[in-house]
Amino acid sequence: MKNRASIYVRLSRQAADTNLSLSGMTSDLRELCQREGLTEVALHIDDGLSGGYRDRPAFTDWLADARSGRADVLLTWHVDRLTREGLNVAALLLDVVEGKDTATGRLISRPVRLLDVKGLDSEHGEAFRIRFVLQAEIARAERERMRERSTAAQRRLAQSGRYRGGFTPYGYKAAPAEDGKGQTLVIEPQEAAAIRECVDRVLGGHTLGRVARWLNDQGYKPRRTQEWSRRGLMHVLTGEAVLGRVSRSGKPVRDAEGEILAPFPAIVSVAESAALRAACNPAGPRTTPMGRQPSRLLSGLLSCFSCHSTLTVVRRNGRTAAYRCMSRNTGRVCDAAVSVGAKVIEDHVSGRYLGAVGWMPYARQRVITEGVNELAAVDAEIADVMAQVATRATSSLFERLASLQAQRAELASTPPTQRIEVVDTGLTVAQWWADAHLDDQRDALAEAFDLLEVSPGKPGSRIFNPARLRVEWAPADEDE
C-alpha cells in the first residue's frame, strides 16, 4: 500500500511576528498523516531559510525522497513553505509529483501524491494544478511585498538619521539620537583620525600594504580581524560608510527622488573618495607595487664604493644582521666585497641625520583633492532618470540617460585635481622620529641623502669607523 509519507517544514527568519512555529507545523502535519492513514518515513526541516531560494538542504532531500521511491506521499504545511519563487519552482515541483524529468519531460520515477494541511491534494486533477500555481505566485508576490516593505523601512530610518543596528562601520559609534528616538551614528574620534591619516598617506603615494603596516604598528585595531590587511583597509577607505552614507549590498541607498542618503557625519569628502578609489584601483590592473616592507632601516640606501651596487641585508653566521655587497655572488665584478654590521651603521646614519635636522620643526604634507563635484551631480541625475524609467519608459528618458552616461564617462576620464598643503605638527624632527614607523624613517633618510657609500673596514675590527661612509646630502629647497 502506497502510504509512506515524507514531511517538509520550513520557517524563515521573517516569520517572527506570525503565529507559525516549527513544532506547530510539524504537529499539524502528523495529524494529517493520521487522518489520511499515512506512515511517516522522514521529517525534513529548514530552519531560518528563505523560500526565495531552491537549494535549501532539507527541501532538496525531501524531493529526493520522491525521486528515489523512498516516499509515496509528500506532505507540507502550505505552498508558501515550499517556495517564494512562483511559477519557476511550481513547475519543478509538478515534475517531481508527476515523476517527470525536468529537462525532457519524460517519466523517470513513480508519480507521488502532494498534500498540505490547507486542503491542497494532487489527486484533485486540474483543480489542484490551477490552485497550486496560483498559490505559488501569491507566495512570490508576498515575498516581493515583504522586500519592498523592508527596503522602505530602511530608507525611512536612513532619512531620519536613525541607525538600524548591526555591524558598526569603522570610524563610527552608535549613540542615542538627539530626539531620544532610537540611535544614530557619530564619529569615533580616534578611529576617524586614523582614517584621515590613511587618506593622506594613500593620496600621498603610499601603498595600501605600507599604510596597513603603519596602522598595526600604531596599535589601531580593526573591528573583525586581529590586524589590518590591504583588503580590509581598502574596504574601509573606498566604502560608502566613510562618506556618511547608508548602503545595502555594497550600493548606496537612495531616496524616492534618487538622491543618495547620507544622514551621518562624513569622515572623507566625495572628492577624496573618488581619488582614493582611483589610487586603490580595486577593479583594474595593478599600477603600484605591493608595498613590501623593507627589512632594515637602510635597505636599498647603502651602496658599495667599488662597484656602486646596492648593499643587501644578510645574516652573519646566521645571527647578526649586516649589509653586504653581493656582486660576486651574482657573477658581477667587484674589487672589494664590502660588508658592515647593520646595527652600527644604522645608529651612525640616524645619528648624523638627527644631529643635523633633529632640532627643526617637523611639517607633514597633506594632499587636498578637488574637482569631482560635477561628477557627483551627474551621478545623482542619472539615478533620478533611472527612477523615472522604472515607472514610465519613454524614448526621451532613454535619450537623456544615454547623454548623461556619455557625460559621466567623459568626466570620469579626467582625474581629480590635487594640491599639496603643508601642515605644522607641533613636533621637532627628533620628536617625530622617536615614534615614527620604519617605512617613514627610511623615507626621511632617502630624502635627506643623495649618497651613502660604504668602503671596506679594517679586518677584525668590531667598531665602525665613520671614515668608511661617504655621505652626500640632498640639496634642500629654499622653502625647506
Side-chain angles (χ1 to χ4, degrees), residues 58-357:
F59 178 64
T60 55
D61 289 345
W62 182 65
L63 296 181
D65 286 347
R67 290 295 198 192
S68 65
R70 183 187 183 192
D72 309 303
V73 182
L74 297 179
L75 293 185
T76 189
W77 195 81
H78 189 261
V79 174
D80 64 8
R81 299 300 91 198
L82 298 180
T83 178
R84 295 278 188 173
E85 289 188 84
L87 289 173
N88 305 61
V89 176
L92 167 67
L93 286 164
L94 287 174
D95 280 339
V96 172
V97 169
E98 296 173 3
K100 293 181 179 179
D101 182 88
T102 55
T104 65
R106 295 177 178 176
L107 288 174
I108 58 173
S109 61
R110 289 189 309 168
V112 295
R113 184 183 180 191
L114 176 64
L115 290 172
D116 75 5
V117 298
K118 304 296 183 180
L120 187 73
D121 189 341
S122 60
E123 291 188 345
H124 292 168
E126 292 299 322
F128 156 76
R129 294 176 65 90
I130 294 172
R131 181 179 173 185
F132 180 71
V133 170
L134 284 175
Q135 288 183 348
E137 275 297 297
I138 291 171
R140 182 201 59 79
E142 176 58 25
R143 177 172 180 256
E144 291 303 313
R145 286 193 292 271
M146 290 167 61
R147 293 175 64 177
E148 290 173 3
R149 289 195 295 267
S150 176
T151 300
Q154 298 296 340
R155 186 179 291 116
R156 287 193 297 272
L157 282 174
Q159 288 175 323
S160 62
R162 298 288 189 273
Y163 173 51
R164 62 187 179 91
F167 177 72
T168 305
Y170 191 83
Y172 294 89
K173 61 182 179 181
E178 291 185 0
D179 59 5
K181 298 178 180 178
Q183 290 189 314
T184 187
L185 288 182
V186 298
I187 288 177
E188 202 291 315
Q190 186 178 17
E191 293 180 353
I195 291 176
R196 288 298 326 162
E197 178 69 19
C198 291
V199 170
D200 292 342
R201 287 174 177 264
V202 171
L203 295 185
H206 291 189
T207 63
L208 287 170
R210 173 171 170 172
V211 178
R213 290 196 300 271
W214 174 83
L215 282 168
N216 293 326
D217 182 69
Q218 297 297 313
Y220 293 106
K221 297 294 183 183
R223 294 283 170 80
R224 290 180 169 176
T225 57
Q226 293 298 317
E227 61 179 17
W228 288 96
S229 63
R230 291 179 65 258
R231 183 180 297 275
L233 178 59
M234 183 173 69
H235 179 76
V236 170
L237 295 183
T238 62
E240 301 291 339
V242 291
L243 293 166
R245 295 175 176 175
V246 179
S247 63
R248 189 169 187 175
S249 301
K251 302 293 184 182
V253 176
R254 299 177 182 271
D255 61 18
E257 285 71 42
E259 295 291 332
I260 294 176
L261 294 175
F264 309 121
I267 299 174
V268 174
S269 70
V270 174
E272 288 171 327
S273 177
L276 284 167
R277 294 179 187 192
C280 295
N281 199 23
R286 178 174 301 284
T287 57
T288 59
M290 288 287 287
R292 185 165 59 94
Q293 182 175 10
S295 59
R296 303 286 304 195
L297 177 64
L298 299 179
S299 294
L301 302 183
L302 299 177
S303 61
C304 173
F305 91 105
S306 177
C307 65
H308 309 296
S309 63
T310 301
L311 301 190
T312 302
V313 178
V314 297
R315 291 280 178 180
R316 284 175 170 171
N317 302 323
R319 297 188 303 274
T320 307
Y323 294 92
R324 179 177 297 171
C325 175
M326 303 298 289
S327 292
R328 294 178 180 177
N329 297 62
T330 57
R332 290 178 293 173
V333 177
C334 182
D335 295 334
V338 172
S339 181
V340 61
K343 181 69 166 57
V344 291
I345 197 167
E346 288 168 355
D347 290 345
H348 176 75
V349 172
S350 58
R352 289 186 68 164
Y353 171 75
L354 293 175
V357 302

Side-chain angles (χ1 to χ4, degrees), residues 347-478:
D347 290 345
H348 176 75
V349 172
S350 58
R352 289 186 68 164
Y353 171 75
L354 293 175
V357 302
W359 55 273
M360 292 181 174
Y362 177 73
R364 61 188 298 271
Q365 292 183 341
R366 173 174 293 168
V367 180
I368 307 299
T369 305
E370 301 166 329
V372 294
N373 291 335
E374 189 175 356
L375 180 61
V378 171
D379 277 338
E381 192 169 355
I382 287 175
D384 178 60
V385 172
M386 291 184 69
Q388 295 180 58
V389 168
T391 56
R392 54 183 186 90
T394 64
S395 58
S396 60
L397 283 175
F398 279 112
E399 290 175 4
R400 177 60 180 156
L401 181 60
S403 174
L404 287 169
Q405 288 174 334
Q407 185 180 352
R408 191 196 186 285
E410 183 179 353
L411 290 171
S413 65
T414 304
T417 59
Q418 295 182 341
R419 58 184 174 85
I420 305 297
E421 181 180 273
V422 179
V423 180
D424 183 15
T425 64
L427 302 173
T428 65
V429 172
Q431 289 171 329
W432 164 80
W433 180 275
D435 296 321
H437 190 267
L438 174 68
D439 288 325
D440 298 329
Q441 291 177 337
R442 185 187 172 282
D443 277 356
L445 295 180
E447 285 188 18
F449 299 106
D450 272 352
L451 180 69
L452 292 171
E453 189 177 83
V454 183
S455 60
K458 185 177 179 180
S461 175
R462 294 181 176 273
I463 301 174
F464 178 72
N465 182 359
R468 293 182 59 192
L469 184 65
R470 179 186 168 199
V471 174
E472 290 184 7
W473 290 84
D477 294 334
E478 290 184 3

